[in-house]
Amino acid sequence: MRELYRRIPKVDTFINDEELLELLDSRPKFFLKKAVEIVLSDLRRKIAKGEISDFSYDELKESVKEKLKELIRPKLHKVINATGVVLHTNLGRAPISKRVAEHLVEVITGYSNLEYDLERGRRGLRYRNLEWILKELTGAEDVCIVNNNAGAVLLVLSALAKGKEVIVSRGELIEIGGSFRIPDVMEQSGALLREVGTTNKTHIWDYERAVNENTALLLKVHTSNYRILGFTESVPTKELVELGRKYGIPVYEDLGSGSFVDVRKLGLSYEPTVQDILKAGVDVVSFSGDKLLGGAQAGIILGKKEYVERIKKHPLNRALRIDKMTLAVLEATLTYYLDEALAFEEIPVWKFLSQKRDDVRKKAEKLVSELEKSEFRGKVEIVEDRVEVGGGALPLQTLPTYCVSVKLDSMSESELDKRLRGNYPPIVGRIKDGKFLIDMFTVFEEEIPTVVRALKGL
Ligand SMILES: *Cc1c(COP(=O)(O)O)cnc(C)c1O
């Protein structure tokens, strides 16, 4: 044992090893020292327990390499989404296209005209570069963009209804996860919640009866992540707008996901688009930038100039403002909506959602045939299933998909799931009816070889 201890190489031997330094690639030496420390202390522990009778420098170096690769990897990194859920909030919601990312890199790796008016040579407006496209796409009079839609709701309520009453249906007092609850946001904004109707039914006269001289806003919240089914009734946006006009009270709709595309084109049932809501006459509408829009995290507020001006002037707007990265991604993404066929091609969220059944099946077949070629020893099988869009969009609606079910004699499906999550890049699949499924709906074609390698590695 003493002999083994004596043979443990000095830390410096590793730190000066050319090959390890190359792997470190100009990152802080901290990572290499840490990797060596971990490997050597593991070695000492094994020697003490008598678990080891011999070792070589090269063996240890291999372990250091593995550890180093793990340590230098950024903690936020790519994941392969094999859950089938296109807008998976835990997996980063909307992926953006490589082309949009290229534009982003160019904007942020140098200086930009973020707040500079190049024509006049002086300070310009941060949102000017996005205004034109949102107006073009929706016909809105004015635009304000903040950090996310939760922030947008807080800002709109603070700017338009502080200290006054906001009428909202009991059927729309939503929670969307991450403790975003309409009543709590309302309280934060200083607006007073005036609930009307019941959980399942709210009528226009419920709203009308609640209107008084202290009413500042009629709020409609799109039930974007749940549905109340059965004996139900809610007031359509249009009727709420008429009521607002009658009493001179503005109407605000929190649309949640906010799509520019009519999803009936995908064989789904009707969900109002941003354009529809504006056409119905609301004064203000807000929605997320990274749900069905398929861009970056943001809260987009559109509406009548009179109200959006007030929203823009509120101090919270400055606190919730977005940065150049968000602006670059949003502008590049939004441009594609000028031609819907391009949006389906270039925006990953829409590319996935508009996939033909056959396209998904082909991806599943490709994975299976690649696995067979690689002599993967597990059992694979293509199974049909259905997926939800997720991310607080289109609740209860599903699209057809194909999954590859994987079975290994040597491990249970939960073990398999865990091992694939431990792969790099991790593969997050799902378990259904005792089967581990790789849902091809959200797997990019170019990710298939990585999945094959990971499965073979098992
Ligand atoms: C998702 C959602 C929000 C919050 O949007 P974020 O962009 O995630 O902050 C607010 N309201 C509704 C109805 C939503 O669906």
Side-chain angles (χ1 to χ4, degrees), residues 129 143 145 156 192 197 213 229 235 245 260 263-264 281 303 448 457:
N129 299 319
V143 175
I145 306 163
V156 173
L192 305 167
E213 69 287 346
L229 300 175
V235 175
R245 296 257 162 85
F260 289 120
V263 295
R264 283 175 295 193
I448 292 175

Side-chain angles (χ1 to χ4, degrees), residues 93 126-127 130 144-156 180 256 286-291 295-301 311 315-327 330:
R93 280 198 192 154
R126 174 172 290 246
Y127 303 111
L130 260 192
C144 178
I145 306 163
V146 292
N147 180 59
N148 57 14
N149 190 35
V153 177
L154 178 63
L155 173 60
V156 173
F180 177 90
S286 75
F287 50 94
S288 296
D290 58 350
K291 289 185 180 171
Q297 179 186 300
I300 299 175
I301 302 167
I311 292 165
L316 258 182
N317 182 28
R318 173 61 179 78
L320 293 170
R321 83 173 180 193
I322 57 173
D323 79 340
K324 58 192 173 190
M325 296 193 246
T326 307
L327 276 165
L330 284 179

